[in-house]
Every structure is written in structure tokens, then in C-alpha cells.
Amino acid sequence: MEVYRRHLRVHAYPVIDRKTLAALASRPSTVGKWASGIEASPNYKRDIMQTVTAVFAAAVDDGLIKRNPMKSRQVTKPKREKKKIVPWTADRVGTVVAALDHLTPRYACTGVVGATSGQRQGKIFGFSPDDVLWDAGRIKVMRQIKEVRGGGANRLIFALPKTKETREFPAPAALLRGLKAHMEIWPPVAVTLPWGSLDGEPVTVRLFFTTPYGMPLDASVFNRLVWKPALAQADVIPAPVGRRYAAAPDDGMHALRHHYVSALLSAGESLVTAAEFIGDTLMVTAETYAHLMEGDGSRGVAALDRSLGGSVDALRLAV
């Protein structure tokens, strides 16, 4: 939700906010001129335009306007660039976790969870000791904390993971040690939130990570007060100007997920295994991470030499 609000607040409202929906719908050229003037990378520009398109689509559904001006031929979306993920190194992950530990030790283990289990931010915030099979060395992904709009404000709920499916997979011993050390200092806190929607059934879950007041973590607040300061201390992003930190589209907590997948693949695990662990489809995982497995074929050729070289050498070829 925060990213959508930023799209509108920073890029849309300053230009088109003072014009009525009807005026914008009747003059698509106005929206087209605005869109062409967005100063951003092609991918981010498309994201901004998609957010504004969704706003107009909602207005059409509500009968406020008859057509979506973003669908006009006068509005041209840039082609999305296929950007290859460059995963953080283990050293960078360690530096960021150390910065979290130095600035806000209460949340240092969020970085450990992200880097050693590949969970998205909302799932890290919704992670519970009851999701850990301590003796078996496995963890379960059962829920996320999701931000929704209601009553004129943003509110938090529990919800299923993004794929709507729970999953279970092995956990590194380092993760289990880190969680145990975290719980010794900050015991789990029982948090009650509605499930699935604002009017959903209240559900109580013991969480690893909460505010000092026992409240669930809000992503926008966490990113502003915890994550970005740690990135700045780790020299991943520049120091803030006043209280404002530079945008870090490639250095959100999702960077920890990328590191996790890259570690799996570099250790020889398959894309199928990586997809299963992170809860993405094989197609999405391959599109995002297959380039990390690229090679010149030398390993395959060497393997063929080892497996078939003796048989070839033993051939008695007729002349």
C-alpha cells in the first residue's frame, strides 16, 4: 500500500490532482502529457502508470466516469526492461544485519530470517515460534501481516501468504540459533488481528517481532525508522538529507530473499527446490533467477567426459 501511495503522492497528485475526474476522462491528452513527463526508469514509470490506471478503473466501476483515460492511445507505456537480479553478497547481508543489531537490536533477527529463509517482509512480521519445528529443523510459512485501507486509515490484518498456500521447508541451523537467542531477550508476544479482512474473525498469534509496546509491525513505519537507517549505516544507500532517505527500490527487504535464492542455486539446488522453498511458481522463479545459473557449458562437458570418456576410449572402431 505504501508504494501505491508514493506513486500518487510524488508523481500524480502534483500534476493532475487539481483536475476533476470528468475533466481528465474527457481529455486523455492531459493524462498522456503527464505520463510522458514522468522522470523515472521505464520499469518504475510503468508501475506508476499502473497505479493511476487502477485508480481510474475504480472510478469507472463506481460510475464516476465512463472511460479510463489511461486506456487511451494517447497514453503510451514504456516497455518493461528485463532487469537481472544482482543478489547481495554474504558480506553485504552480514553488514546490514550488523547495522540492524547496532541501531535497533530488537529487529536484528528480521534480517537473519529474511536471508536464511527467503520470506517476504509481511511473512517475517507474521512469523511465530509456533511455526518452527525445532527438533526437525524445519519452519512453516503460515501467514503474513497485510496492510489494508479501512476507516480512512491503514490497518493491519493477518492473511494467508501471497500464493494463498502455506508451506514447510528445512531451516539452517544458524536461523534456529538466532531465533532462540532473540527469544531469550524479547519473548514472543501474542497479537490479535482480524483474519483475511477487516471484518474477519479475530485470530491471536504469538509473534517473534513486535513493537516495544507489543503491537504488530507496520511495513511503512519499519522501513522508514529501521530498515533505511540500517542501509545507510551499512553504506548501501546514502546518508539521509534531513530526515529523508533516498529511495531504495532494489534494496528493500526483498534483497534478502534474492540472496537466499542465490545461495540455494550456487550450492547446487534446483530451481524447482528454490521455487518450492520461497513459495513462487517455477515459471516466476525461473524468470527471476535463472540467469544466476548461467554458465559456459564447461561443467556439463567435463561431466560427460568423466561419465563416457572411458567408454569412448575403449571403442575398437572399424576402418
Side-chain angles (χ1 to χ4, degrees):
M1 292 295 295
E2 175 61 24
V3 68
Y4 303 140
R5 290 197 297 269
R6 188 184 309 116
H7 290 167
L8 297 173
R9 183 178 66 252
V10 176
H11 299 280
Y13 292 158
V15 179
I16 61 178
D17 187 39
R18 295 185 179 182
K19 298 177 176 62
T20 66
L21 287 172
L24 292 169
S26 64
R27 296 285 298 274
S29 59
T30 301
V31 179
K33 183 178 179 180
W34 161 76
S36 64
I38 298 174
E39 296 183 358
S41 68
N43 289 355
Y44 192 50
K45 186 173 181 177
R46 279 183 64 91
D47 292 341
I48 295 167
M49 294 174 69
Q50 286 174 353
T51 299
V52 174
T53 299
V55 171
F56 281 118
V60 171
D61 291 341
D62 289 342
L64 300 177
I65 55 177
K66 292 183 178 180
R67 60 180 180 175
N68 190 331
M70 291 296 290
K71 301 290 187 179
S72 168
R73 286 179 293 180
Q74 298 185 57
V75 179
T76 303
K77 290 183 179 179
K79 291 183 178 180
R80 186 172 292 279
E81 295 179 341
K82 290 187 177 181
K83 188 175 181 180
K84 291 185 176 182
I85 296 296
V86 180
W88 281 4
T89 64
D91 285 345
R92 168 161 284 191
V93 172
T95 301
V96 171
V97 170
L100 285 169
D101 190 41
H102 178 259
L103 295 174
T104 50
R106 182 186 191 91
Y107 304 121
C109 207
T110 62
V112 176
V113 174
T116 57
S117 72
Q119 296 186 56
R120 292 183 174 90
Q121 188 179 54
K123 298 180 186 66
I124 295 173
F125 293 171
F127 195 29
S128 168
D130 301 320
D131 303 333
V132 182
L133 306 176
W134 298 98
D135 293 336
R138 299 176 68 83
I139 60 175
K140 297 183 288 185
V141 178
M142 306 298 293
R143 74 197 66 77
Q144 63 172 319
I145 288 182
K146 186 176 180 181
E147 185 178 325
V148 295
R149 191 76 176 175
N154 296 314
R155 299 169 65 185
L156 302 178
I157 63 172
F158 285 130
L160 283 171
K162 186 176 181 180
T163 57
K164 308 301 182 186
E165 294 181 357
T166 59
R167 62 187 187 277
E168 178 186 318
F169 52 96
L175 171 57
L176 301 181
R177 292 197 305 271
L179 291 172
K180 288 179 179 178
H182 172 85
M183 288 192 299
E184 288 181 0
I185 304 174
W186 296 282
V189 176
V191 171
T192 301
L193 291 173
W195 181 270
S197 64
L198 289 175
D199 57 358
E201 190 72 22
V203 172
T204 300
V205 179
R206 294 192 309 144
L207 299 181
F208 279 114
F209 307 111
T210 60
T211 71
Y213 307 102
M215 302 298 291
L217 295 181
D218 178 293
S220 58
V221 176
F222 181 89
N223 291 339
R224 184 176 73 253
L225 300 182
V226 177
W227 184 249
K228 285 190 175 182
L231 292 186
Q233 175 154 321
D235 292 327
V236 176
I237 63 173
V241 177
R243 295 184 178 181
R244 295 180 64 86
Y245 288 89
D250 297 325
D251 295 313
M253 289 195 79
H254 219 71
L256 301 173
R257 180 178 175 88
H258 296 327
H259 170 80
Y260 174 75
V261 176
S262 71
L264 291 178
L265 298 179
S266 64
E269 296 289 356
S270 69
L271 279 169
V272 173
T273 298
E276 179 183 347
F277 285 9
I278 65 175
D280 267 340
T281 65
L282 179 58
M283 180 179 294
V284 169
T285 305
E287 288 178 350
T288 307
Y289 300 109
H291 67 281
L292 300 178
M293 304 178 72
E294 292 176 356
D296 60 6
S298 59
R299 288 184 296 176
V301 171
L304 290 169
D305 265 336
R306 290 192 299 272
S307 64
L308 295 175
S311 298
V312 171
D313 293 339
L315 290 175
R316 295 164 59 180
L317 301 175
V319 178

